[in-house]
Amino acid sequence: MIKLFSAILLNLIFIASFAQTQLQSPEQFLGYELGDRFTRHHKVVEYFQHVAAARPNNIKFIQYGETYEHRPLVVTIIASEENFKNLEQIRLDNLKRTGFEQGTPATNVALVWLSYNVHGNEANSTEASMKTLYDLANPANSKTQEWLKNTVVMIDPCINPDGRDRYANFYNQYGNYPADPSPDATEHREPWPGGRANHYLFDLNRDWAWQSQTESQARIKLYNQWMPQVHVDFHEMGYNTPYFFAPAAEPLHEVISKWQREFLNMVGRNNAKHFDENGWLYFTKERYDLFYPSYGDTYPTYSGAIGMTYEQGGGGFGGLTITTKEGDPLTLKDRLTHHYTNGLSTIEVTSQNAAKVTAEFEKYFKENLTNPASPYKTFVIKAENNADKLNRLAAWMDTHRIQYGHPSAGKSTKGFNFKTQTNSSATVSTNDIVINIYQPKGRFVTTLFEPQSNLGDSITYDITAWNLMYAYGLDGYALNERINVAKPYEQQKAENSNVASKPYAYLFKYQSMEDVKFLAAMLKNDFKVRSSEKAFSVGGNNYDRGTLIVTRRNNESIADFDNALQTLAKKMNRKIYTTSTGFVDSGKDIGSGDVKFLKAPKVALLGGDQTSSLGFGEVWHFFERQLMYPVTVIGTDYFKSISLAKYDVLIIPPGRYRMFDDELLGKIGKWVSDGGRLIVTSQALNSFSDKKGFGLKEYASEEAKKAAEKSETQTAKDNVLVPYDEAERKELESAIFGAIYKVTLDSSHPLSFGLGDYYYSLRTTPMRFDYMQNGWNVGTLRGNVKPLMGFAGYKANPTLSNTMVFGVEDKGRGQVIYLVDNPMFRSFWENGKMLFSNAVFVVGGM
Ligand SMILES: [Zn+2]
C-alpha cells in the first residue's frame, strides 16, 4: 500500500515536473561542458529523458531492452510536432513501403536512425549523441526544425552501455589531472579486456545478424518494427587516423543497389563539404567495406537502408586529449564535434532528398518482391534434417522477419546441392522448408544462403564466408526458380504419449544442441547418464552412436526418478524412448563397457589477460546463457596458484599466451594424466605444440619441417622484389580471414557424435598442424584442400593438405583435445557448438 501510494506520488511529481521542464543544453544539465569528462550511461539516459520531458510534443523516449549488467537500452524519436502526431502512421507507412504491411502510404517522411557507441571504448560517440539530440530538440534551431518537417530521426545514444561504462569508469579512475596527452600515460592504456565489447565480451558490431547477445536481440526487434531508410553506426579507430565516412570501400556485396551506392556518394559529398569548411582531414572508399552481413552498416544495407559506418580517430587510446604523430593534440571535444557534424550532415542531406529517399526505398522493396536480381531464387531446406535445427533456424528467421514455410506441392528439379556442392537433380517435397527471395528481406536472405558470395576484392576486413546451411550442417538446395510458400512452418514438438512407467532404461537421441542442453540439464540435476559408443537396436528401434542412456540402476538416489526424468524431458521437448531390457537385439548391451558413464564435469575456464577476450567470452556466454551449466572462470594472473584437482575439464580459449612455461605445462600434463580433460583452442595450440609431454606437432618430422622452411625461404626471396604498392596483396597470398572447409570426421569417435562423417568448419587462421602420431585424428583436411566458400590465399591451401583440425590425445587417464579451428567463433556456428560440447561432456566417458 505504501508502495502504491509512493508510486502515485512519484507520478504526480513526474507529471508536475513535465509541465515546467525547460529544455536544457547538455552543459546546463550535466554541469560541465561536453568533452570535459566521459559521461556515465545513467546520466546520458537521464539527459535523454529530460529532453523528452521538455519537448513532449516532439520527442518520444523508448526503453527497448536491458543489458546483461541491467543498464537500460534506449532510443529517442525526434519529429516535428505534426509528424509526431502521426508517428504511428509514419511507421506503418514505412512498413508498407517494405511490404511488411499492406496498403499505400499516406505520409511521405524519411527516417534516419543514428546508433552510437557500439564499441564501448569508442567513447566520444555517446557524448556526440547528446549534442546532436539537443540541436534537434531545440526549437530555436531553425535549420534542424526545417529538416524535421520531412524527416524523423531516431537516436540510440549507446548500443553497448556495459562496455561504454567499463571504459568511462576506467578513464575516470586512471585519468590524470589535468589529462596527460602522452600516449604512454596509463590513462591511454586500458587493461584487459578493454571497453570495446559487451558484458560477455562479444563484439556487438559482428552480431547484428546472429543476435547471440541480448543487446542485439532487443535492438533487431525494434529495428524491424521501423526499418529506417538511413542508418549510421558511429565508431572510432586508431587516434592517428583521419576521419572516415561514406562511400564505403570495396568489396560491396552484389545485392547493394545502384541507389544505395549513389546515395552513399551523396552523403559523402555532403559530409566532405562540412569537413572542408573546417579544414578537417578525412578519407573515403578505403578500409571499411560492405560485405559481412552482421555489421551495423551491412545489416541495414541488406534491409534496404543506406547503412554507413563513420570512424573518428581516438578510441580507447584517446582519453580527453592525446598527442598525435604530427605532434598535435586530439581532444575529446574535437572527436565529438566531428561525429556531431556528420550526424547533422547526414540528416541534412537526407532531408534535402527526402522524397527521393523514400521513393527509392520503396523501389528497392518492389524489386525484392517482384523481380529480385540474384540468381538463386529459392533455398530449400530438407524436412529430413534434424527437427531441432529446423526449429532453431525458423525461430531465428522470425526475429529478422524472414518469410518461409512449406510449398504447396512437391517437384523434381535441378539445383545446387549443399551436401555435394554440385549442380544436380533436386527433389522438393511438401514437408521441406522453402525460403524464396521474393520478400522484404530477400537480399539479406541471399547474403546468408547463397552458395558463394562474389568477393569483388579479396582485401576485406572480416570473414568471407558464413553460409547458414554449413553453419547448421543442413541438407538442401539453392534453386534458380521461384517456389512459393503455401503453408506456415510449425515448430516441431516431440510426441510422448504412452511412455512406459518403470522402464529398465530411458534412451534419448543425441543429434543437436537441444540434446546437448538436455544432457547438461540432466547432469546438473544429478541424473547418472551414459553414452553409447556403438550403434544398437532394441525393442524395434535403432539408436545411433552417442545415444544417451539413463538406467534405473545408479539413479536410485533421485526422488521419484521416473517422474522427474520424464518431466524434464517433456519440458525440454525431448522424445522419450524406453527399454524394458538391457539385452539388445544388435550392438552392445546396455551394461557393456562400450556404453560409457558420463561424469558430470566440473568445468574450469581460463580467462583474463593473455586470453583473447572474444574467444574467452564465447565460451563463457555459452555455458552461462546457452547451456545453463556451471563454469568456474579462473584468472590467468593466479592460475598457477590454484589446484586443478578440483576440476574435470579445463578450457584454454584462443589467446596469445606467455604463461605456459615448462613448469606449468608439466603441472597441467600431470593433471591430465590423473584424469583431467584439457581443451585447447585455436591460437592457444601454439603454447602446446612441439612441447614435452604433448603430442601436438606443427610438422610430424624434421624433414617436413625443413621442407616447409625451405619453401618459406624461397617465398621470402621471391618477395624481395615485390613493388611497394603490391605489398598488401602479396600478404594475402598466405592469408585466411574466414573461409569454410569440409573437414572429414572419424564418426566413431565421441568428439564427432551427433555430427556424422563431415563437419563444415569456419577457418579463420592459416595455422596448421600435422596428423598426430599417437592420438586420434578426429577431424582432418585430406588431399588437395580448398575452401567450399570464401577467400583463402593460394599459398595457404597447399599447406593445409593432410593436416589435423580436431584431435584427441589420450594421456594416462585423461585426454587433451586440440581444436585448431575455433568452433565457437561468434557463437553462430550451430554445429561447432555440438563439437565443443562433445569435448566437454562426452569425450573421456568411463
Ligand atoms: Zn568500432
Side-chain angles (χ1 to χ4, degrees), residues 118-119 121-122 196 205-206 233-237 311:
V118 59
H119 292 140
N121 59 0
E122 300 169 5
R196 177 182 173 91
N205 191 34
R206 303 292 184 279
D233 203 32
F234 289 88
H235 287 260
E236 291 193 85
M237 56 187 162
E311 295 268 357

Side-chain angles (χ1 to χ4, degrees), residues 561-628:
F561 164 66
D562 295 274
N563 185 32
L565 184 58
Q566 289 187 23
T567 304
L568 183 64
K570 284 173 188 166
K571 192 178 122 200
M572 300 188 76
N573 192 28
R574 296 304 88 197
K575 169 90 177 140
I576 301 170
Y577 298 88
T578 60
T579 174
S580 57
T581 175
F583 189 98
V584 300
D585 301 331
S586 72
K588 298 296 177 80
D589 288 331
I590 288 181
S592 158
D594 282 331
V595 178
K596 305 281 190 190
F597 174 68
L598 303 181
K599 187 185 173 204
K602 289 209 162 41
V603 182
L605 166 63
L606 191 62
D609 187 31
Q610 301 180 39
T611 67
S612 145
S613 59
L614 297 168
F616 159 72
E618 284 152 7
V619 179
W620 184 26
H621 180 267
F622 180 65
F623 276 94
E624 291 193 353
R625 301 288 174 164
Q626 299 180 52
L627 277 185
M628 320 286 183

Side-chain angles (χ1 to χ4, degrees), residues 283-302:
F283 67 100
T284 63
K285 304 180 282 285
E286 289 177 69
R287 195 183 301 181
Y288 300 101
D289 58 50
L290 291 173
F291 198 61
Y292 170 74
S294 204
Y295 287 134
D297 53 14
T298 45
Y299 182 85
T301 299
Y302 304 156

Side-chain angles (χ1 to χ4, degrees), residues 379-387 389-390 393 406-407 410-411 417-419 426-434 469 473-477 489 492:
F379 301 98
V380 179
I381 303 175
K382 295 302 292 172
E384 292 76 23
N385 288 294
N386 177 275
K389 289 184 183 177
L390 298 183
L393 185 69
H406 301 300
K411 76 182 291 186
N417 183 331
F418 282 96
K419 190 176 187 174
T427 320
V428 183
S429 81
T430 50
N431 293 327
D432 295 343
I433 296 179
V434 295
M469 300 297 281
L474 295 171
D475 288 345
Y477 308 105
Y489 172 81
Q492 299 187 32

Side-chain angles (χ1 to χ4, degrees), residues 668-685:
I668 293 172
K670 169 142 194 337
W671 167 79
V672 172
S673 298
D674 290 345
R677 187 145 77 249
L678 176 69
I679 302 172
V680 190
T681 310
S682 194
Q683 290 91 349
L685 268 66

